[in-house]
Amino acid sequence: MKLLLAIPQNQRLNSFKNLFTRNLMSKNLLFIAPLPPPIDGQSKASAEALKAFNELGWSINVLNTGRTIVRRSFGTELRRILEVFNFLYKIFSGAKNADVIYLSLSESYLGNIKDLLIYCLIRKNLKNTVIHMLGGSGMDILLNKNKFTSWLNGYFMRQMNAVIVEGERGKSIFKKYFTPDQIKILHNFADEYLHSTTEEVAVRFTDQNQLNILYLSNLLSGKGYVELLDAFRALPLGTRRKMTLTFVGGFQDDAKRQDFLAQINNEVDIKYLGNFIDGTDKKELYLKSHIFCLPTYYPYEGQPISILEAYATGCVVITTAHAGIQDIFKDLINGFFVQKKNSIDIVRALEFSLANRNKLPDISYNNLFEASRLYRSKAYRENVKRIFSKFSN
């Protein structure tokens, strides 16, 4: 008490005022989202959103919907069933004390069943719930092309506070259930360590006789890796000798992995570097690659973080006009669009890139500057805080 009285009165009043203000602004957040591991676009974005909430100084109850729960718990084993019920109980009890709820959505049918169960458990708190759609193509089917799932999801969504989408095209998916003011755009980002300098980017163009192509994403059906492999193998021998192709990513199952490895076994210009790469090795791989190719038509595609990573390291991008890619990619500005499921079109894009190799640096530097301006992790966190600032008032 003597120590407190020794502090000047005006300082004491300011200290009490700041403490009172912090208590008023502090909120209890129920955070329901997948977190690493594994590292993928959704878990990476969720982890960055969690950082933003920590920066707000909120009290956070984190419920991880990652691999342990979503991918494993719907089996028949008793332990997994108990995991599900335990997880749902945590949501129900956590919602009672929550001022705000953040929920990262699934867009598969099975994932949507999980989300609908969560909606039921938090129904008394829906007015303070913000859902985040990372992806969108699958949700478009659920909300706009299936009457039953559309009605069921719509019943809950119309009671919610807001929805976060990755870009302009995401707005159309939710426009029947949210007003324009309730739909918030939050672009994805590339990790800070990947944002490169012009000097780092320029090195790849010193060798005028080589073109390195990179595919870095999960090797799943619909991601376009089969079409890319077919296209590369169909290149004229003289053209192919001036190129290399590198794959990085995980497979759906071991059988598909073994089949892929058998196909490239004797191909000296095609490499597979494994399921995962990160840190310095990942940045160096991007910087050595002239072209990043993701010819996806994956049904649950959104706004691929791998494309933004390619921008941040100055890669020219070859991709498709699919899902949220159209919000972040312009043909001939960021690279080249190719038709979906069309290896011949990929052949044309690769041949064009080689024939016009002197024009690639302009695209490369444009992508570098665009990433620096629009796709930073700090900007992502600031936008999360801006979206949720209304709950602090």
Side-chain angles (χ1 to χ4, degrees):
M1 178 65 74
K2 291 181 179 179
L3 182 61
L4 183 63
L5 292 174
I7 301 174
Q9 185 178 10
N10 61 331
Q11 289 186 24
R12 275 183 281 157
L13 290 173
N14 287 335
S15 297
F16 288 135
K17 182 180 178 181
N18 291 337
L19 180 62
F20 181 69
T21 302
R22 283 199 302 271
N23 287 336
L24 280 179
M25 295 179 65
S26 180
K27 296 293 179 182
N28 292 319
L29 171 72
L30 179 59
F31 180 93
I32 310 170
L35 295 170
I39 296 177
D40 56 25
Q42 189 174 21
S43 66
K44 185 174 287 189
S46 298
E48 203 65 27
L50 183 58
K51 287 182 184 178
F53 292 125
N54 279 314
E55 290 173 2
L56 283 172
W58 287 6
S59 176
I60 307 171
N61 180 5
V62 177
L63 296 180
N64 184 3
T65 62
R67 173 178 291 174
T68 301
I69 298 301
V70 177
R71 299 184 186 177
R72 295 177 53 198
S73 294
F74 285 88
T76 57
E77 298 175 11
L78 178 60
R79 182 177 61 84
R80 294 180 180 179
I81 294 173
L82 291 174
E83 277 185 349
V84 173
F85 280 105
N86 182 52
F87 182 71
L88 294 175
Y89 173 75
K90 288 180 179 178
I91 292 174
F92 178 71
S93 59
K96 292 179 181 179
N97 301 316
D99 301 307
V100 187
I101 297 176
Y102 170 91
L103 172 62
S104 180
L105 296 181
S106 303
E107 53 181 336
S108 66
Y109 280 100
L110 182 60
N112 189 236
I113 291 173
K114 171 194 62 107
D115 288 342
L116 287 167
L117 285 172
I118 293 174
Y119 298 160
C120 292
L121 294 171
I122 64 173
R123 63 188 181 279
K124 292 182 179 179
N125 239 334
L126 288 174
K127 65 180 184 300
N128 291 325
T129 296
V130 177
I131 53 176
H132 191 173
M133 183 72 261
L134 290 153
S137 298
M139 184 59 68
D140 190 30
I141 295 171
L142 290 168
L143 295 186
N144 299 306
K145 297 175 183 177
N146 183 310
K147 290 184 179 180
F148 179 69
T149 56
S150 174
W151 175 83
L152 207 54
N153 282 276
Y155 171 77
F156 293 105
M157 288 182 178
R158 288 187 178 95
Q159 302 175 60
M160 293 180 184
N161 189 282
V163 59
I164 302 171
V165 296
E166 293 176 315
E168 287 294 333
R169 281 165 180 78
K171 288 183 175 181
S172 63
I173 297 173
F174 293 93
K175 65 182 181 181
K176 291 195 299 185
Y177 312 103
F178 295 90
T179 66
D181 289 342
Q182 289 179 300
I183 304 175
K184 312 295 183 181
I185 290 180
L186 180 64
H187 290 299
N188 281 329
F189 61 93
D191 283 327
E192 285 303 308
Y193 78 91
L194 289 171
H195 285 271
S196 307
T197 65
T198 53
E199 291 78 13
E200 288 176 312
V201 168
V203 173
R204 61 160 61 91
F205 295 111
T206 55
D207 183 359
Q208 295 295 319
N209 299 311
Q210 189 71 32
L211 206 62
N212 300 323
I213 304 149
L214 173 64
Y215 175 100
L216 198 160
S217 184
N218 287 323
L219 287 91
L220 304 174
S221 177
K223 282 287 189 176
Y225 78 95
V226 173
E227 288 79 3
L228 174 57
L229 179 61
D230 290 344
F232 190 81
R233 297 171 80 174
L235 287 167
L237 187 59
T239 301
R240 182 170 165 174
R241 283 175 176 167
K242 299 176 182 178
M243 296 185 181
T244 66
L245 174 59
T246 300
F247 290 91
V248 179
F251 289 86
Q252 191 169 0
D253 54 56
D254 192 60
K256 285 185 167 46
R257 181 177 182 275
Q258 294 301 327
D259 179 63
F260 178 80
L261 293 177
Q263 290 187 62
I264 67 171
N265 185 42
N266 296 316
E267 307 282 8
V268 295
D269 49 2
I270 303 175
K271 297 178 182 178
Y272 174 65
L273 300 185
N275 293 353
F276 181 72
I277 191 170
D278 203 11
T280 302
D281 291 339
K282 184 177 185 178
K283 183 174 182 178
E284 288 179 355
L285 181 60
Y286 271 120
L287 288 172
K288 288 177 182 176
S289 305
H290 302 85
I291 294 174
F292 176 81
C293 190
L294 186 69
T296 179
Y297 48 97
Y298 185 61
Y300 305 123
E301 198 68 81
Q303 193 182 91
I305 284 182
S306 57
I307 288 181
L308 304 184
E309 292 177 342
Y311 288 176
T313 48
C315 292
V316 176
V317 174
I318 294 176
T319 190
T320 52
H322 179 59
I325 294 172
Q326 299 168 88
D327 289 324
I328 59 172
F329 185 93
K330 292 182 176 60
D331 194 26
L332 304 179
I333 303 297
N334 302 113
F336 313 107
F337 267 142
V338 291
Q339 295 176 12
K340 301 175 188 177
K341 306 180 184 180
N342 193 327
S343 58
I344 299 302
D345 209 30
I346 299 173
V347 169
R348 294 192 191 102
L350 294 176
E351 289 180 325
F352 181 84
S353 299
L354 186 64
N356 296 274
R357 198 176 186 286
N358 62 320
K359 297 179 182 177
L360 297 185
D362 290 339
I363 299 175
S364 172
Y365 293 126
N366 172 76
N367 290 349
L368 180 70
F369 299 142
E370 187 171 312
S372 179
R373 190 176 73 254
L374 299 176
Y375 307 122
R376 310 297 295 236
S377 57
K378 182 179 180 181
Y380 186 89
R381 294 195 304 274
E382 290 302 317
N383 284 329
V384 169
K385 289 187 280 188
R386 175 182 52 79
I387 291 169
F388 283 84
S389 62
K390 58 186 173 184
F391 293 105
S392 294
N393 296 331

